């Protein structure tokens, strides 16, 4: 059975799953219940400067039948007095010595303020400190949160102040509200942080109510930008994580990275590990399903690790990083085409329409008698009726014209009905970099490109 224990920059926890700093970690009583449910650690809801919250502070993006594909919040850091938070953290750590208790902090950009909060956190017996340079709303307007995280020089300066006094591990949490996530991460490395974490929430307006014309959520008829999180942000988080783990400076620094942003299932968790995370944080999924989610996360991850032969979390961490490539290094001769499994196909024709209107017009509708039907020639009123399904034309891909764009695969509603299969292209493997090196004119001039295509047999239609 896989060993889920981790040692993250010296912070030990029985599994890699920590609650992210957010509403599920607002109080000692809550985290106590979370630890009873099995969570390996918790990052306490950010403590620091005095704040007042508004009510009606979460918006959500529902899509189809999926509730909370993303959440948007205009909540601030902890609005409970700092003394109460510190007392509860002390009690929690005493009760749960084997769990990771990390405290998120955010104060004004003054060395004394940071020195003071770091000392107060250390006095609680907490295992680590997370620096919140990410909150994109409310605090950023006051010069904190993402106002710091977006400026690498500020990240470096404040982290240096923290490192002057900190004796427990310090995790620098990054904001995704920046063009190049690598720059603040490098600043963390330069300042001597012990670890990095990402991503905090993404600036967003989640919607406008078409009845009242107000933003959602609306606070007395007014609203504003808030932080976006949940399943919808996972691809952005994964890309930022991979960017850090493939950056020479960040990767060579050896700083461990705590990954978060949309983790809901064990499959999400495994993907974050494969792209370089060595601890995982979860917020929105817990706000949606509760602390019991931890059972599925641990069971699923552990079963998958057993099936794949991974003994420890460290064995999984970064295993897919060697697959991360730049476009210029991809094989331009690789050829895949779409294959439809006609036994599974329900003849909904979504693939046909997608290919016809948005791809390369290479799916034919073939009638039961073998004739190619004119587009939409069948009786649309029969759509979905079982008795009419045998008489409907079925989609057939013309291999020679398929460019392998994968649009039909993506729109098909039936699992495994369309497969992308590799076919020999008849061309030598070659990358854009290699073409540029061998004959730079090809990559700079359309006429030369045309000649090259003719020479190697690339037909564009
Ligand atoms: C309602 C809400 C409040 C949050 N409050 C904090 C906070 O106080 N400090 C912090 O560092 N991050 C805060 N976050 C960000 C989360 O810690 C996390 O970075 C983000 O939600 C991405 O993870 P997720 O997709 O699992 O939710 C908050 C997120 C939400 C949704
Ligand atoms: S992969 Fe693209 S080009 Fe090929 S059949 Fe599907 S939609 Fe058409
Ligand atoms: S989208 Fe899928 S199910 Fe629908 S017609 Fe195409 S292959 Fe069949």
């Amino acid at each position: 059975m896989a060993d889920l224990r981790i040692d993250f920059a010296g912070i030990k926890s029985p599994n890699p799953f920590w609650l992210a700093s957010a509403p599920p970690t607002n109080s000692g009583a809550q985290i106590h219940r979370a630890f009873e449910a099995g969570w390996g650690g918790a990052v306490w809801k950010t403590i620091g400067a005095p704040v007042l919250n508004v009510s009606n502070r979460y918006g959500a993006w529902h899509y189809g039948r999926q509730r909370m594909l993303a959440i948007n919040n205009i909540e601030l850091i902890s609005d409970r007095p700092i003394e109460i938070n510190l007392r509860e953290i002390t009690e929690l750590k005493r009760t749960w010595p084997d769990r990771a208790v990390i405290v998120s902090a955010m104060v004004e950009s003054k060395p004394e303020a940071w020195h003071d909060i770091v000392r107060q956190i250390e006095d609680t017996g907490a295992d680590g400190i997370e620096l919140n340079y990410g909150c994109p709303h409310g605090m950023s307007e006051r010069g904190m949160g993402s106002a710091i995280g977006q400026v690498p020089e500020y990240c470096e300066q404040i982290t240096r102040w923290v490192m002057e006094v900190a004796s427990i591990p310090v995790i620098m949490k990054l904001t995704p509200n920046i063009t190049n996530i690598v720059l603040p991460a490098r600043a963390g490395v330069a300042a001597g942080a012990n670890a990095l974490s990402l991503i905090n929430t993404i600036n967003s307006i989640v919607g406008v109510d078409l009845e009242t014309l107000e933003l959602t959520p609306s606070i007395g008829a007014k609203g504003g930008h808030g932080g976006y999180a949940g399943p919808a942000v996972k691809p952005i988080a994964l890309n930022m994580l991979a960017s850090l783990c493939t950056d020479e400076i960040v990767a060579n620094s050896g700083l461990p990275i705590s990954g978060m942003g949309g983790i809901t299932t064990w499959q999400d968790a495994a993907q974050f590990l494969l792209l370089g995370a060595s601890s995982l944080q979860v917020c929105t999924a817990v706000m949606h399903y509760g602390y019991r989610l931890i059972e599925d996360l641990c069971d699923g991850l552990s079963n998958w690790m057993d099936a794949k032969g991974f003994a420890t979390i460290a064995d999984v961490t970064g295993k897919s990083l060697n697959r991360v490539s730049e476009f210029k290094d991809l094989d331009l001769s690789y050829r895949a085409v779409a294959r439809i499994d006609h036994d599974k196909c329900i003849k909904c024709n979504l693939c046909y329409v997608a290919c016809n209107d948005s791809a390369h017009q290479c799916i034919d509708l073939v009638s039961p008698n073998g004739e190619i039907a004119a587009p939409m020639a069948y009786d649309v009123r029969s759509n979905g009726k079982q008795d009419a399904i045998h008489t409907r034309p079925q989609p057939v891909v013309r291999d020679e014209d398929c460019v392998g764009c994968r649009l039909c695969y993506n729109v098909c509603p039936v699992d495994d009905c369309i497969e992308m299969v590799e076919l020999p292209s008849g061309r030598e493997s070659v990358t854009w970099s290699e073409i540029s090196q061998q004959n730079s004119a090809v990559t700079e001039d359309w006429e030369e490109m045309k000649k090259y295509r003719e020479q190697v047999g690339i037909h564009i239609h």
Side-chain angles (χ1 to χ4, degrees):
M1 182 141 153
D3 180 357
L4 296 187
R5 285 176 302 172
I6 58 165
D7 180 337
F8 179 89
I11 302 172
K12 294 193 174 56
S13 96
N15 64 56
F17 296 107
W18 299 347
L19 293 167
S21 173
T25 61
N26 202 31
S27 68
Q30 281 172 282
I31 304 181
H32 182 74
R33 280 196 287 120
F35 284 172
E36 280 179 338
W39 287 85
V43 185
W44 199 276
K45 169 86 184 163
T46 307
I47 61 171
V51 295
L52 273 182
N53 268 309
V54 290
S55 64
N56 210 11
R57 60 185 96 137
Y58 307 149
W61 182 37
H62 311 303
Y63 191 73
R65 264 175 271 161
Q66 166 77 53
R67 308 281 303 173
M68 294 222 316
L69 196 62
I71 198 168
N72 154 290
N73 84 89
I74 46 172
E75 179 174 286
L76 303 173
I77 62 175
S78 179
D79 51 12
R80 303 166 77 229
I82 197 157
E83 297 72 28
I84 294 179
N85 278 306
L86 293 167
R87 196 184 64 227
E88 291 182 10
I89 295 164
T90 313
E91 287 163 4
L92 182 80
K93 187 61 218 176
R94 237 184 254 140
T95 317
W96 294 94
D98 72 320
R99 307 300 167 97
V101 177
I102 294 122
V103 181
S104 169
M106 178 199 285
V107 287
E108 266 188 278
S109 300
K110 291 180 184 156
E112 317 81 70
W114 279 100
H115 288 172
D116 196 35
I117 193 92
V118 168
R119 289 195 182 108
Q120 292 188 76
I121 291 171
E122 293 207 343
D123 286 346
T124 65
D127 300 292
I129 299 169
E130 189 177 77
L131 310 178
N132 180 347
Y133 298 163
C135 195
H137 46 85
M139 306 313 282
S140 48
E141 292 89 323
R142 287 168 57 180
M144 291 176 255
S146 64
I148 304 301
Q150 289 167 336
V151 184
E153 292 76 12
Y154 295 168
C155 295
E156 184 171 339
Q157 179 60 74
I158 293 175
T159 307
R160 282 190 193 282
W161 295 338
V162 169
M163 299 316 292
E164 280 165 9
V165 291
S167 60
I168 57 176
V170 173
I171 307 168
M172 188 176 127
K173 183 171 178 181
L174 304 173
T175 175
N177 296 304
I178 189 161
T179 316
N180 185 356
I181 193 76
V182 165
L183 301 178
R186 286 183 179 176
V189 172
N194 303 105
L196 301 169
S197 64
L198 82 168
I199 60 173
N200 209 310
T201 53
I202 305 173
N203 242 329
S204 62
I205 288 181
V206 85
V208 180
D209 185 317
L210 296 186
E211 199 46 48
T212 62
L213 313 191
E214 293 166 9
L215 270 59
T216 48
S218 169
I219 301 102
K222 285 201 170 174
H225 66 105
Y228 197 56
V233 312
K234 190 188 90 170
I236 296 164
L238 284 179
N239 177 48
M240 291 186 161
L241 173 64
S243 304
L244 296 194
C245 295
T246 52
D247 176 67
E248 222 173 305
I249 295 177
V250 180
N252 283 341
S253 74
L255 292 195
I257 301 179
S258 186
M260 83 200 91
I263 298 177
T264 310
T265 62
W266 67 262
Q267 289 94 334
D268 299 329
Q271 291 171 31
F272 273 80
L273 293 173
L274 288 167
L275 287 178
S278 40
S279 92
L280 305 162
Q281 298 188 32
V282 185
C283 162
T284 306
V286 171
M287 293 177 74
H288 198 162
Y289 302 110
Y291 299 130
R292 68 187 168 83
L293 188 71
I294 189 63
E295 289 172 32
D296 295 348
L297 292 173
C298 283
D299 285 355
L301 184 64
S302 155
N303 291 340
W304 171 78
M305 285 171 65
D306 287 346
K308 286 279 169 196
F310 292 121
T312 66
I313 295 293
D315 291 344
V316 186
T317 294
K319 270 288 174 305
S320 292
L321 285 171
N322 61 356
R323 316 277 181 148
V324 180
S325 180
E326 287 183 41
F327 182 88
K328 67 181 175 53
D329 297 321
L330 298 175
D331 182 3
L332 295 170
S333 298
Y334 176 81
R335 181 172 180 228
V337 297
R339 267 298 139 69
I340 297 172
D341 181 336
H342 290 117
D343 292 333
K344 291 186 178 149
C345 174
I346 57 168
K347 299 178 181 174
C348 69
N349 283 351
L350 277 172
C351 58
Y352 169 77
V353 173
C355 187
N356 214 34
D357 291 357
S358 307
H360 288 259
Q361 302 80 48
C362 59
I363 299 184
D364 293 325
L365 289 179
V366 181
S367 317
N369 65 9
E371 282 173 14
I372 295 182
M376 302 305 180
Y378 64 92
D379 181 359
V380 285
R381 287 166 303 174
S382 68
N383 198 354
K385 286 187 191 151
Q386 282 305 314
D387 56 354
I389 242 177
H390 311 293
T391 63
R392 298 183 66 192
Q394 63 181 18
V396 178
V397 178
R398 293 192 312 276
D399 277 3
E400 63 279 18
D401 293 328
C402 173
V403 302
C405 72
R406 212 168 183 252
L407 180 61
C408 55
Y409 173 96
N410 289 317
V411 300
C412 179
V414 181
D415 283 347
D416 302 326
C417 179
I418 299 185
E419 191 190 356
M420 299 306 295
V421 296
E422 185 179 353
L423 288 187
S425 68
R427 288 184 274 129
E428 294 274 306
S429 293
V430 71
T431 64
W432 183 263
S433 293
E434 287 163 352
I435 299 177
S436 310
Q437 273 163 21
Q438 288 153 15
N439 185 355
S440 61
V442 172
T443 55
E444 286 160 13
D445 184 283
W446 271 113
E447 267 313 304
E448 291 300 320
M449 173 59 83
K450 191 167 159 239
K451 279 191 226 152
Y452 174 78
R453 281 182 180 151
E454 280 161 10
Q455 181 198 326
V456 298
I458 299 174
H459 170 61
I460 306 281
H461 57 91

